[in-house]
Amino acid sequence: MIPTFVSRPNWAPQVIERKLTDFYQLLQDVGFNANTIGKSQAPLMSPFEDVRRLMKRCQCTIVLGLPQIFMEAGSVKHVPISSKLMLPTEWNQIEATISLMLELPTLVLLHKSVAARGIFDRGAANVFVYESDSQEKNWAASVRPALDALKQAVQTGA
């Protein structure tokens, strides 16, 4: 099994959380052993230090950009938002950056209704951002080719 750091919020909307069960089963089926602070790993130190130590024991990272912050009013860069804005956890940004700095193969998956900002903005980092709908029935199966590519990158050292 490939030790894998999974960056995801510890809380997700129930409809998405239920679909993550299939995703974690697929990870196991493909050969990944998922590790997440606050889910599979109990925190012991500061969040940053826990992430750093766990990630150094992993061979790759999967970043799940799921909706966690829901804005109905406000502005972004002094421009009022005109419709609901969903953002991922800020820890996705931190954990993805650590993974890239450690030169780990990094797979970035963005839920289709989450704003593509920071690491999720195509071209911001040297990663391909896969967009998917984690509420769809066969969501987990739809990301299988990306997981296969990640596994190959780990195995070949690419």
Side-chain angles (χ1 to χ4, degrees):
M1 296 293 277
I2 298 168
T4 305
F5 187 92
V6 178
S7 173
R8 56 148 298 178
N10 284 324
W11 175 91
Q14 274 302 108
V15 65
I16 293 174
E17 194 69 54
R18 285 191 297 271
K19 301 286 183 180
L20 288 176
T21 302
D22 293 339
F23 178 72
Y24 280 100
Q25 183 60 55
L26 177 60
L27 288 180
Q28 270 193 324
D29 294 347
V30 174
F32 294 103
N33 180 26
N35 296 279
T36 301
I37 301 294
K39 285 293 187 185
S40 63
Q41 305 289 315
L44 297 174
M45 305 177 101
S46 71
F48 187 88
E49 187 60 23
D50 280 339
V51 166
R52 188 185 71 78
R53 286 176 180 230
L54 178 57
M55 201 175 285
K56 286 180 84 172
R57 294 193 317 260
C58 291
Q59 293 180 306
C60 62
T61 300
I62 298 171
V63 181
L64 292 177
L66 303 174
Q68 179 162 52
I69 300 167
F70 303 86
M71 294 177 57
E72 295 184 20
S75 62
V76 176
K77 297 181 181 178
H78 295 294
V79 177
I81 58 173
S82 57
S83 59
K84 290 183 181 180
L85 179 66
M86 286 190 264
L87 300 169
T89 173
E90 58 275 11
W91 282 95
N92 283 149
Q93 307 289 346
I94 295 166
E95 292 163 350
T97 302
I98 294 171
S99 179
L100 294 171
M101 296 303 293
L102 292 173
E103 298 182 353
L104 295 174
T106 304
L107 173 62
V108 178
L109 302 172
L110 179 65
H111 179 77
K112 73 174 191 166
S113 62
V114 173
R117 300 180 51 80
I119 198 73
F120 299 107
D121 189 9
R122 286 193 172 97
N126 193 21
V127 294
F128 186 84
V129 179
Y130 291 87
E131 187 176 290
S132 61
D133 185 348
S134 53
Q135 293 179 343
E136 283 184 2
K137 181 179 181 184
N138 294 323
W139 168 74
S142 74
V143 299
R144 174 75 188 249
L147 293 173
D148 289 338
L150 179 63
K151 183 176 182 177
Q152 183 176 3
V154 170
Q155 291 173 335
T156 62

